[in-house]
Amino acid sequence: MVLTSRISTEKNIKAGIIMSYLTLIISVVISIVYTPFLLSHIGKSQYGLTSFVTSITSWFTVLSSALVSSYVRFATKEALKNNDDNAKTVNSAYFIIFSTISLLICILGIALFFAMKFLILPKSVYKDNPESINLILILTIVSLLSIIISVPGNLFGLYNNWKQKFIVAKGIALLINILQPLCTIPFFLFFFDVVSVVVVQLAFTIIGIVLHIFASTKLYGFGFKRPFASINKSLLKEILLFSSFIILNSVVDQINSSADKTILGFMVDDNANSVAIYQAGMLFKNYLLILSVSISSAFATKINEAVVGGDGERINSIFRNVSKVQIILILFIVGGFATFGKSFVNLWLGEALGEDCLMSFYVALILFILSSVPYTENVSIEIQRAKNKHKFRAILYVCVAVTNIILTIILVALFDKQYAIWACLIGTAFSSIIGYWIVINIYNIKVIKLDIKGYAFDLLKTILAVAVCFLLTRGILLISNISDDVIVLFASVILYISFYLSYILLFERRFLKKFFRKGAIEQL
């Protein structure tokens, strides 16, 4: 079976990357308007409560997100056997697993609801505002309902991505990113309740699933093997065994994104405000992750094909080229945020957060720096999974994550409450540097046989370039003695981009031109 034509594959990959960037840019632009709107209308307290609920309910996505990561491997492996029934068998197996997980989430969600209502919510923390408990419970119900629906529905989007139909897959994401906030604002203004925000999000989750179902079944030949009872039990067992270690990775990722907010929500008296400050800072890191994943995921099918074919040279070629593109883009953003992020955050959230917006800037900057290494080599995770050598990474990250939680809880308990956010950042920094920076790259060198030395050279070279751009920009602004935030912001943006583009034209133009030329991606 021919998965896709060569011309179609390359066009779809390029279009997918471009549309991912476009989606990211539009998401950032919308957030610039949308986030301050929410903060100013619902206040830091309700915004923080919403983030607190999300940090809890998002744990229910761990199982499904792990299986999402394994779908490409099994679909590619079966499709290369040149039998349409094999691909349909994989779809059926995943639908059975996803539906079971959805049912399990429903049962656990009911248990969580009653536990939160009667047991685990610290009443002393919410004594001044008992209505907060009712709001938390309502938000929990809507969030869990969205997860229960989306888990089996994700299969159809996975299929579109595996077929490398990124124009459709990314197009649906782009459409929802634009329409969701546009519809949320009038609903919110009419009902003036944060619940209306999550209800609109639920509606668009359903719309996205319906669009993916239509595209996969009507356009790209998605199907199930019937009857479901005839599904090979050994395939189900293999999928679950392979995914079990990805689940551990997903747990760690969830800890890194939710643990700090959850700890702040339970241990700090001014919990809602602390969570709101931390969440505002995390927004920037989330966008960086979207950018990183959008690039590496576009090559997932190619990586699995190379691994199945035993082509080690091709695997390293994909790693070096994709990671270098990620380095150029992600470090550009990190350096830019370090250069003019303080002025931007102050103008963006100054009215809503007041003096706390400076803390949000520091949260974002530290998380940016800590994420710069793992996000620029995200493609190595796809390679580990394709080689079925992701077990060590899972075990390592679990150990580091447990240490992170214990250290963070101890530090939050020891620090004065006004420094609780810094305590969380210290714990996160420890886990990121040990796990994501050092140990895993030793493993990538020794076991996965990736060219980490070449990657490190590209990384350090670009870090040096970003540092020079930062120092030149800040030096010029210091000499000019400009104090107005708006003028500082625009001057910083123009200067930094000009310096970085000069670096690209002098040192990276040939590489980028070669990477994006016609036929180059297909040759990787």
Side-chain angles (χ1 to χ4, degrees), residues 86-288:
N86 288 334
K88 291 181 178 180
T89 299
V90 172
N91 292 336
S92 299
Y94 272 86
F95 189 76
I96 291 171
I97 295 171
F98 282 146
S99 298
T100 304
I101 291 173
S102 188
L103 178 61
L104 179 62
I105 292 172
C106 184
I107 296 170
L108 293 176
I110 294 172
L112 173 67
F113 174 84
F114 286 104
M116 292 180 73
K117 184 174 178 64
F118 298 110
L119 298 174
I120 65 176
L121 281 180
K123 299 296 190 298
S124 59
V125 172
Y126 297 98
K127 63 183 177 181
D128 295 330
N129 189 10
E131 291 183 0
S132 295
I133 294 180
N134 292 329
L135 179 59
I136 288 174
L137 294 175
I138 294 171
L139 293 174
T140 299
I141 292 172
V142 180
S143 297
L144 286 172
L145 185 59
S146 178
I147 295 170
I148 290 167
I149 295 171
S150 64
V151 168
N154 282 337
L155 175 60
F156 302 93
L158 286 176
Y159 181 83
N160 292 336
N161 277 298
W162 169 67
K163 295 288 284 187
Q164 301 182 86
K165 302 300 181 182
F166 299 114
I167 295 176
V168 170
K170 304 299 182 183
I172 292 173
L174 178 61
L175 181 66
I176 290 176
N177 269 308
I178 294 172
L179 293 180
Q180 182 172 298
L182 293 178
C183 293
T184 300
I185 291 174
F187 266 85
F188 177 78
L189 292 175
F190 183 78
F191 293 103
F192 211 74
D193 192 335
V194 70
V195 175
S196 63
V197 176
V198 293
V199 169
V200 172
Q201 291 173 349
L202 170 61
F204 274 93
T205 296
I206 296 172
I207 291 171
I209 291 171
V210 171
L211 291 174
H212 275 296
I213 291 174
F214 175 82
S216 60
T217 56
K218 300 298 183 181
L219 301 179
Y220 306 129
F222 179 94
F224 293 116
K225 182 179 180 181
R226 296 182 177 87
F228 281 89
S230 64
I231 301 301
N232 191 339
K233 301 299 187 295
S234 63
L235 176 62
L236 287 171
K237 183 178 179 181
E238 185 181 358
I239 291 172
L240 292 173
L241 183 62
F242 177 86
S243 301
S244 61
F245 290 95
I246 303 180
I247 290 173
L248 294 179
N249 285 338
S250 297
V251 169
V252 174
D253 291 338
Q254 195 60 45
I255 288 171
N256 289 333
S257 63
S258 299
D260 289 348
K261 291 182 291 182
T262 303
I263 291 170
L264 289 171
F266 277 106
M267 295 185 65
V268 180
D269 292 337
D270 191 21
N271 52 45
N273 286 342
S274 297
V275 174
I277 294 166
Y278 202 92
Q279 174 63 20
M282 280 197 69
L283 280 174
F284 298 96
K285 180 198 172 188
N286 293 340
Y287 289 132
L288 201 67

Side-chain angles (χ1 to χ4, degrees), residues 293-429:
V293 172
S294 67
I295 300 173
S296 60
S297 62
F299 291 86
T301 301
K302 283 186 170 295
I303 290 169
N304 279 274
E305 289 174 349
V307 170
V308 171
D311 192 344
E313 185 177 343
R314 184 186 176 196
I315 293 169
N316 250 316
S317 175
I318 294 173
F319 171 73
R320 281 297 308 278
N321 282 277
V322 175
S323 63
K324 188 169 184 178
V325 171
Q326 290 180 312
I327 287 170
I328 292 171
L329 289 171
I330 289 174
L331 291 190
F332 164 69
I333 295 171
V334 174
F337 189 80
T339 305
F340 50 79
K342 186 185 293 185
S343 299
F344 171 75
V345 173
N346 188 46
L347 289 169
W348 181 38
L349 297 176
E351 184 177 344
L353 292 179
E355 295 180 357
D356 292 332
C357 69
L358 182 61
M359 189 66 234
S360 288
F361 164 72
Y362 288 130
V363 170
L365 181 60
I366 292 171
L367 294 179
F368 260 20
I369 293 172
L370 293 174
S371 302
S372 59
V373 171
Y375 286 2
T376 52
E377 59 173 357
N378 225 342
V379 70
S380 67
I381 299 174
E382 297 285 354
I383 295 172
Q384 290 173 14
R385 290 171 180 168
K387 288 188 170 186
N388 198 14
K389 293 183 178 180
H390 54 293
K391 300 179 183 66
F392 173 81
R393 178 179 179 271
I395 296 170
L396 167 68
Y397 283 16
V398 167
C399 295
V400 174
V402 171
T403 305
N404 175 24
I405 292 177
I406 295 172
L407 178 61
T408 299
I409 292 174
I410 292 173
L411 291 175
V412 170
L414 292 177
F415 281 29
D416 189 282
K417 298 308 178 185
Q418 63 178 320
Y419 300 115
I421 293 177
W422 286 108
C424 292
L425 291 172
I426 291 172
T428 300

